[in-house]
Amino acid sequence: MLQISPKSLTLEEFLKLPETKPASEYIDGEIIQKPMPQGKHSIVQGELVPAINTVLKAPKIARAFPELRCTFGGRSTVPDVSVFVWGRIPRDEKGEIANAFSIAPDWTIEILSPDQSQTKVTKNILHCLKYETQMGWLIDPEEQTIFVYLPNQQPEVFDEPEQQIPVPSFAQEVKLTVGNLFGWLME
């Protein structure tokens, strides 16, 4: 994880900078570049977005977005997967999905990369929960463990293949077990 702090920038100044690859985030006045996703991270992210959208998009319940910049509460972060309830998806004047999302996702999902700080990622999830996010997942592909965060509750740990992974109430039709999710790494 690369931290860039040549000088203190405001959030507004940060948002005017060109995007980087991988994305940079603005957290507590610092610019922190996310690590480049590797194989396991990429597979889980690539399978998870369509798994969610297949169930929730057509009936206009919610939509999952990969690598979407979300700016709220003095931070600008890029969760690996952000899920927004349909009626909360920001729209522009033409009714199309907006480019700028200035609200917290309803469900935030982070996939830990080998070079990534679990503490930093957990702080991002907890930040989202302060701003009305209903649930956060932290997926650790190396440990084949999923930490589920809910507002004002202890995190829960899911690491047995047969365990059903909890989802937010709006996403009850999304059925995934720990074994299903980490089974994608074998395909």
Side-chain angles (χ1 to χ4, degrees):
M1 172 172 25
L2 177 65
Q3 292 192 0
I4 307 166
S5 18
K7 65 173 187 139
S8 277
L9 290 178
T10 65
L11 177 57
E12 293 73 28
E13 291 169 326
F14 168 76
L15 292 171
K16 291 178 184 172
L17 295 174
E19 283 291 345
T20 61
K21 283 200 174 203
S24 292
E25 299 179 313
Y26 182 88
I27 300 169
D28 300 328
E30 289 187 67
I31 299 171
I32 302 168
Q33 189 171 19
K34 292 180 74 169
M36 181 62 78
Q38 296 180 16
K40 291 178 183 184
H41 178 288
S42 184
I43 290 295
V44 171
Q45 183 180 27
E47 296 289 335
L48 192 54
V49 171
I52 293 169
N53 282 338
T54 296
V55 176
L56 301 178
K57 193 173 104 179
K60 296 185 178 180
I61 296 169
R63 184 172 188 156
F65 298 85
E67 301 290 328
L68 176 70
R69 179 167 302 286
C70 298
T71 303
F72 60 92
R75 288 183 176 204
S76 186
T77 60
V78 183
D80 294 317
V81 180
S82 301
V83 183
F84 286 85
V85 170
W86 200 265
R88 290 188 68 242
I89 298 171
R91 304 271 174 184
D92 63 20
E93 61 282 344
K94 295 186 274 187
E96 296 175 348
I97 293 174
N99 279 325
F101 278 58
S102 300
I103 58 174
D106 293 291
W107 179 12
T108 186
I109 302 170
E110 294 283 4
I111 304 155
L112 201 60
S113 293
D115 298 332
Q116 200 167 25
S117 161
Q118 186 169 349
T119 301
K120 179 227 170 243
V121 176
T122 300
K123 285 180 176 181
N124 282 349
I125 293 170
L126 296 175
H127 178 76
C128 288
L129 293 175
K130 285 185 198 174
Y131 290 88
E132 300 182 24
T133 295
Q134 297 176 35
M135 182 176 284
W137 282 7
L138 173 56
I139 300 169
D140 185 338
E142 288 300 322
E143 298 289 330
Q144 296 206 352
T145 301
I146 300 151
F147 295 89
V148 176
Y149 296 85
L150 294 163
N152 305 311
Q153 291 185 30
Q154 291 284 349
E156 292 185 60
V157 179
F158 295 83
D159 57 5
E160 297 296 327
E162 70 282 351
Q163 285 181 298
Q164 184 87 28
I165 310 166
V167 296
S169 58
F170 66 85
Q172 289 303 309
E173 297 302 313
V174 176
K175 308 281 187 208
L176 273 175
T177 65
V178 172
N180 296 142
L181 191 143
F182 292 117
W184 294 330
L185 298 176
M186 301 300 291
E187 297 174 0

